[in-house]
Amino acid sequence: MIDTVSIIFMALEGILAIGVPLFCTIYFIRKYRISWKPILIGIMVFIVFSQILEQMLHRYVFGINPSLSEWLKNPYLFALYGCLATGVFEEIGRYIGFRYLLKKYRDWKDGIAYGIGHGGVEVLLFVGE
């Protein structure tokens, strides 16, 4: 049987994972009039670059190419690969998002809005894993 304290903290985690991005969105829309476009671009960039393109690389490295997957049995090389793959894909996505999709959105509040979308969808997808 699952401990009651575990259930309480799982529920708290779920409430925070939904509540914090929602609160930030409402707060910044009301106080600073942030636009929805950077929020939606942040969500889209995370899904496309992290969940689609990066996962394609992982399938190749771990499934199709057995020599690479042998190298990555070393925990240090595995950690290095994970950090580099995540960094490269997310930063390239962020660059494309700001450079080409958010040309007219250069204020500090647009960066906050982008972060709410990007980080908000990330926490919603990965909470409880």
Side-chain angles (χ1 to χ4, degrees):
M1 184 138 169
I2 299 175
D3 188 28
T4 306
V5 175
S6 296
I7 293 174
I8 290 170
F9 279 102
M10 284 187 269
L12 182 62
E13 178 185 25
I15 290 167
L16 287 173
I18 294 169
V20 170
L22 188 62
F23 170 79
C24 289
T25 303
I26 292 169
Y27 175 79
F28 279 97
I29 285 176
R30 286 188 177 174
K31 179 138 177 129
Y32 297 106
R33 304 274 186 236
I34 63 171
S35 174
W36 279 97
K37 186 175 180 182
I39 295 173
L40 296 174
I41 295 293
I43 292 170
M44 181 194 72
V45 164
F46 178 79
I47 291 172
V48 169
F49 283 87
S50 175
Q51 299 304 298
I52 297 173
L53 297 176
E54 186 180 347
Q55 296 306 318
M56 290 169 60
L57 174 67
H58 294 329
R59 276 192 217 104
Y60 171 76
V61 168
F62 293 111
I64 297 172
N65 192 337
S67 63
L68 271 177
S69 71
E70 281 299 316
W71 276 74
L72 294 176
K73 288 185 179 176
N74 179 325
Y76 297 109
L77 291 177
F78 181 77
L80 180 65
Y81 163 77
C83 292
L84 288 173
T86 299
V88 166
F89 277 96
E90 288 197 21
E91 290 305 319
I92 289 173
R94 199 169 283 124
Y95 175 76
I96 290 172
F98 278 110
R99 174 86 168 138
Y100 298 108
L101 303 174
L102 295 172
K103 284 183 180 182
K104 296 178 184 174
Y105 297 88
R106 298 292 185 191
D107 201 10
W108 66 269
K109 61 185 180 181
D110 300 319
I112 298 288
Y114 179 91
I116 289 171
H118 187 98
V121 75
E122 185 171 3
V123 75
L124 286 175
L125 288 175
F126 296 123
V127 71
E129 273 193 22

